[in-house]
Amino acid sequence: MNEDERVELVRLLPPPARPELSADRHRLLRGHLMSELREQPVRVRRGRPGRVVVPALAGGLALALVLTGGGSASGPDRSQAPQATQAPQAQPSAGSAPLNAAPVAAVRLLNQAADAADRAQDTTPRGDQFVYVKSVQTYPSTDEATGEATKGTPQNREIWRSVDGSRWGLLVMDGQRRPTGQDLKDPHARPDEPAPHPLGGGWLEPTPGNTGPSGYAYAAALPTDPDQLLAKLKADTKGQGPGPDQEAFATIGDILREQLVPSPVRAALYRAAARIPGVTVVDEVTDAVGRQGVAVARLDSGGVVETQWIFDRSSFEFLGERTVAVKDDGSWRKGEVTGQTTILGRAVVDQVGDRP
């Protein structure tokens, strides 16, 4: 066969089929990609104020390789074979953000926080002890006459929660004692409510079993597999809130905010949050006491308020949570902080009223 005949035969043959990757190979390559992303530091390119913009080229190409099953180095050489005609690729519209920019940054930050939690050394409390959390909170109040929201003022907050839920807890806000059931002559008040505590504040009823997100037993019993954890949170909150994704995000925040969460569960919570669609990164965030940090955020279903979890830039410690208006809406202007909780300390103590 001469050269002309060979070329003509090649032209008539169909192009070689592209090798398809098995499902296991897809998962392996995707896992390798995500590991590389976790190991890379967050690099910030200044774009719009307050947002992290991450170049998408490397991640986008790698994901394209994994998802399309592109050939490996050992695949057939098609450099001399005719290529199938490909439809032109759609181009992003002018001004659009790079594909994967915010999701990749959010996954990276949450995985860094999870890795830091994995390295943390825990103190496991006894059932007869209390989890103590000190914070500064600012939340709006509503004028009963007009129904309008008014901006709150910062308040120091201390809370003692029973580890096993069998004992009375205590909540103290700026040393003020809030009315209890007995003060209000509530006929449904428990007759065994303790006498007022010397620190003031109000008593928190025992919660045997600690079955809610604010209980230590609930947090300690959560799965450490992120997928199983996210599935449980969605099952536990089914039918609540604006939707399963937003409710799962809010519930993770509830667990992290005023509880002592074992480090394996804390790491799983961060990795579970990285699997929730719509989570983004906000750079250069300042908490209520002036600490600089970086946040992951998610917009609520109404598109008015964004919930942000603030982390220390170096240690990736959870510093607190805040909500920010993303548009003008009656009482709030775009960019205003509508509420926040800044964590100042956590500890395990033996008695209600004990401080570390």
Side-chain angles (χ1 to χ4, degrees):
M1 178 183 297
N2 60 35
E3 182 66 14
D4 291 340
E5 290 173 332
R6 189 187 66 80
V7 171
E8 178 63 13
L9 180 59
V10 169
R11 188 184 67 80
L12 294 174
L13 290 174
R18 295 175 63 187
E20 294 294 332
L21 293 178
S22 67
D24 288 341
R25 182 62 175 163
H26 274 286
R27 286 192 293 270
L28 178 62
L29 288 177
R30 189 176 188 279
H32 176 68
L33 169 65
M34 298 311 295
S35 297
E36 289 186 341
L37 291 177
R38 286 197 298 270
E39 293 171 359
Q40 297 299 319
V42 176
R43 292 188 292 274
V44 179
R45 189 183 75 217
R46 303 298 179 191
R48 291 184 299 164
R51 296 291 177 182
V52 171
V53 182
V54 179
L57 180 60
L61 289 178
L63 284 174
L65 174 62
V66 173
L67 297 177
T68 60
S72 66
S74 60
D77 181 4
R78 297 193 295 272
S79 60
Q80 300 299 322
Q83 300 297 312
T85 302
Q86 296 185 359
Q89 298 296 312
Q91 297 298 316
S93 58
S96 63
L99 185 65
N100 300 330
V104 168
V107 168
R108 183 179 298 156
L109 175 56
L110 287 164
N111 279 324
Q112 287 172 322
D115 291 342
D118 280 332
R119 296 190 295 269
Q121 299 296 317
D122 280 344
T123 298
T124 302
R126 302 190 311 268
D128 62 346
Q129 291 182 305
F130 292 82
V131 173
Y132 167 81
V133 179
K134 182 177 182 180
S135 62
V136 174
Q137 289 195 348
T138 306
Y139 282 98
S141 58
T142 302
D143 189 309
E144 294 183 0
T146 65
E148 294 183 357
T150 57
K151 296 178 176 63
T153 56
Q155 289 185 302
N156 293 313
R157 176 181 171 100
E158 295 176 284
I159 191 167
W160 289 260
R161 295 185 189 274
S162 172
V163 169
D164 65 7
S166 65
R167 300 186 176 197
W168 287 85
L170 184 69
L171 171 63
V172 177
M173 298 284 288
D174 272 334
Q176 300 297 316
R177 184 169 187 267
R178 66 178 178 83
T180 63
Q182 290 183 354
D183 294 328
L184 300 175
K185 307 302 181 185
D186 184 348
H188 300 291
R190 289 182 53 161
D192 59 340
E193 182 174 296
H197 194 278
L199 291 177
W203 291 108
L204 306 175
E205 288 192 11
T207 56
N210 264 337
T211 56
S214 61
Y216 176 84
Y218 178 87
L222 287 171
T224 55
D225 177 86
D227 293 316
Q228 294 177 10
L229 174 53
L230 187 57
K232 176 174 174 54
L233 294 180
K234 288 185 176 183
D236 288 351
T237 59
K238 185 176 181 180
Q240 301 176 24
D245 289 330
Q246 180 62 21
E247 194 63 18
F249 186 81
T251 302
I252 293 173
D254 292 342
I255 296 169
L256 293 170
R257 191 166 53 248
E258 275 193 335
Q259 191 48 260
L260 188 69
V261 182
S263 57
V265 174
R266 195 162 70 250
L269 287 168
Y270 295 141
R271 293 187 174 109
R275 288 158 165 76
I276 298 176
V279 178
T280 60
V281 168
V282 182
D283 194 34
E284 298 183 4
V285 179
T286 304
D287 70 11
V289 294
R291 295 177 297 189
Q292 299 293 315
V294 59
V296 294
R298 195 176 194 278
L299 195 64
D300 70 6
S301 60
V304 176
V305 175
E306 184 177 72
T307 300
Q308 302 175 354
W309 302 339
I310 306 173
F311 295 90
D312 181 270
R313 286 184 176 278
S314 300
S315 67
F316 300 104
E317 177 188 0
F318 179 83
L319 300 180
E321 178 184 273
R322 71 178 191 174
T323 52
V324 179
V326 297
K327 61 174 67 173
D328 294 347
D329 181 52
S331 301
W332 307 105
R333 296 183 63 83
K334 181 179 179 180
E336 283 188 314
V337 177
T338 65
Q340 59 185 322
T341 296
T342 299
I343 305 301
L344 302 181
R346 304 177 195 265
V348 176
V349 296
D350 292 330
Q351 300 293 333
V352 161
D354 287 354
R355 291 175 171 133

